[in-house]
């Protein structure tokens, strides 16, 4: 099986933007947890395009075999279907990229303990492993959700957060906060070369590939609803905002955070700062899909953040990175991909 043309073209773009790192990547051994998920599978593909060696770990709770099955059988790729919290690995890997965690809000609310375990027990297990084998870099996938319902917009890395410890989103938000604290403490106490990416909403081909509209994240959910001519379900009055980053920009940012020298111990927001209301997003998707669907309004979930927009000055300065794909272009590609898959 091969990768489809839409993803292939985007992979070439990411590769071109990372050529300066090719000698660091080629031949190195990378452990990618959550490698069968949305972001993890793009990371595996970029690594593969640079002839890296890859161990992908995934328990498949929210990932999809179809995201990575094209790599099966290759000499440089192996998959371990296991939970990160009780995983034992004997290889001496060069880099750990720790992505494993359910990221869709309805899905992590359905699996609260699994979400906490992946973040807390899983992160500790991976940090202990990384410490034992002395990795070059441990990249941790954190989230904008550590800011909760942020009161400072755009939100800088220095913002301490406004998170409800016992809210419906807290297993994810507080789980990631605890995981960040573990990473930070392993850096402080053991000098482990950790780097933390605070990822803001990212979308593109493969987002929630196997999840249906009940569990898919908002971009996937709206596109499926629009293509099936079902009502687009907007929570509240739709005035809450998000800032959506296209996959190629996000993956480029994550690789730069992992590979640019002298960033150990750093925490950096990676996202697009183009802010849009959820209602505007729904209308844009209706237009781009030529859909006749209506918009239906449902009650706003508890603790749904009102605004979400990253301050990305630090990424621009430290990584010489900025998002390049505007929302309309990225949505076009995502819609095209979803249509080609269905
Ligand atoms: N995509 C985004 O917009 C976004 C935003 C912020 C943070 N993140 C973070 O990036 C990471 C990847 O997100 P994604 O969007 O690719 O989500 P995803 O659900 O597509 O991928 C996560 C992968 O981790 C696997 N997984 C979950 N728990 C596991 C466990 N205990 N052991 C082994 N594997 C496990 C899942 O099966 C899945 O393949 C997550 O840590 C997420 O919190 C993503």
């Amino acid at each position: 099986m091969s990768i489809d043309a839409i993803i292939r073209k985007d992979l070439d773009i990411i590769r071109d933007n990372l050529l300066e790192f090719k000698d660091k990547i080629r031949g190195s051994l990378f452990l990618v947890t959550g490698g069968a998920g949305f972001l993890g599978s793009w990371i595996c593909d970029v690594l593969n395009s640079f002839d890296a060696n890859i161990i992908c770990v995934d328990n498949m709770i929210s990932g999809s075999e179809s995201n990575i099955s094209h790599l099966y059988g290759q000499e440089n790729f192996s998959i371990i279907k296991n939970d990160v919290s009780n995983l034992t690995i004997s290889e001496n890997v060069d880099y750990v990229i720790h992505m494993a965690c359910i990221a869709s809000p309805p899905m992590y609310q359905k699996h609260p303990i699994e979400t906490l375990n992946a973040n807390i027990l899983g992160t500790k297990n991976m940090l202990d492993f990384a410490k034992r084998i002395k990795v070059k870099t441990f990249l941790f996938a954190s989230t904008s959700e550590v800011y909760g319902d942020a009161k400072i917009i755009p939100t800088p890395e220095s913002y301490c957060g406004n998170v409800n410890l016992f809210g419906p989103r807290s297993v994810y938000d507080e789980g990631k906060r605890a995981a960040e604290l573990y990473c930070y403490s392993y850096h402080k106490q053991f000098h482990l070369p950790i780097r933390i990416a605070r990822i803001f909403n990212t979308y593109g081909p493969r987002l929630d590939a196997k999840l249906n509209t009940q569990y898919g994240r908002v971009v996937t959910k709206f596109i499926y609803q629009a293509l099936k001519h079902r009502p687009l379900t907007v929570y509240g009055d739709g005035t809450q905002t998000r800032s959506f980053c296209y996959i190629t920009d996000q993956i480029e940012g994550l690789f730069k955070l992992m590979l640019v020298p002298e960033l150990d111990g750093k925490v950096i927001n990676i996202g697009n700062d183009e802010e849009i209301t959820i209602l505007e997003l729904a209308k844009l998707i209706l237009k781009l899909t030529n859909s006749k669907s209506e918009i239906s309004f449902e009650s706003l979930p508890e603790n749904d953040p009102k605004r979400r927009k990253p301050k990305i000055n630090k990424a621009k300065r430290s990584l010489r990175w900025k998002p390049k794909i505007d929302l309309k272009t990225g949505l076009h590609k995502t819609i095209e991909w979803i249509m080609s898959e269905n």
Side-chain angles (χ1 to χ4, degrees), residues 37-39 58-59 61-63 83-84 99 172 176 202 217:
F38 169 48
L39 297 176
D58 205 299
N59 66 357
I61 191 166
S62 59
D83 196 300
V84 276
M99 312 294 292
Y172 185 73
K176 289 285 185 187
T202 302
R217 276 163 275 181

Side-chain angles (χ1 to χ4, degrees), residues 2 40 74 99 128 134 136 153 171 182 195-196 237 334:
S2 61
Q74 287 189 192
M99 312 294 292
D128 281 333
K134 298 191 171 59
K136 291 181 181 151
I153 305 289
V171 285
Y182 254 131
R195 297 169 182 211
I196 297 174
D237 60 4
T334 311

